[in-house]
Amino acid sequence: MVARSGAALTEAEVSEHAANRLARFKVPHRVHLVDELPRTALGKVARGQLRNSITSEGTHHGRP
């Protein structure tokens, strides 16, 4: 998730917001806050690059 500039969000706040508004099975297991999403030349989110950056941080453990 990318926060608007000037917004101060925490992972706990995002998780709580989702839990209050989504069905239990739709609530994300993990939240990773980033400054900017990697984009392709066409402007789409580069999911593979994003996945690799999360995995390289050592925070990705698979689904619980």
Side-chain angles (χ1 to χ4, degrees):
M1 166 179 249
V2 178
R4 292 181 184 162
S5 67
L9 289 175
T10 65
E11 293 173 5
E13 289 172 333
V14 174
S15 293
E16 182 180 337
H17 180 80
N20 290 335
R21 288 166 174 75
L22 298 173
R24 188 175 191 161
F25 70 94
K26 291 184 178 183
V27 176
H29 296 281
R30 293 175 305 278
V31 175
H32 299 277
L33 301 176
V34 296
D35 294 329
E36 186 177 6
L37 292 173
R39 301 276 179 176
T40 66
L42 296 175
K44 295 181 178 183
V45 174
R47 293 185 199 176
Q49 188 179 356
L50 183 60
R51 190 177 302 117
N52 289 341
S53 69
I54 291 171
T55 303
S56 68
E57 291 176 4
T59 58
H60 180 72
H61 302 290
R63 287 197 125 171

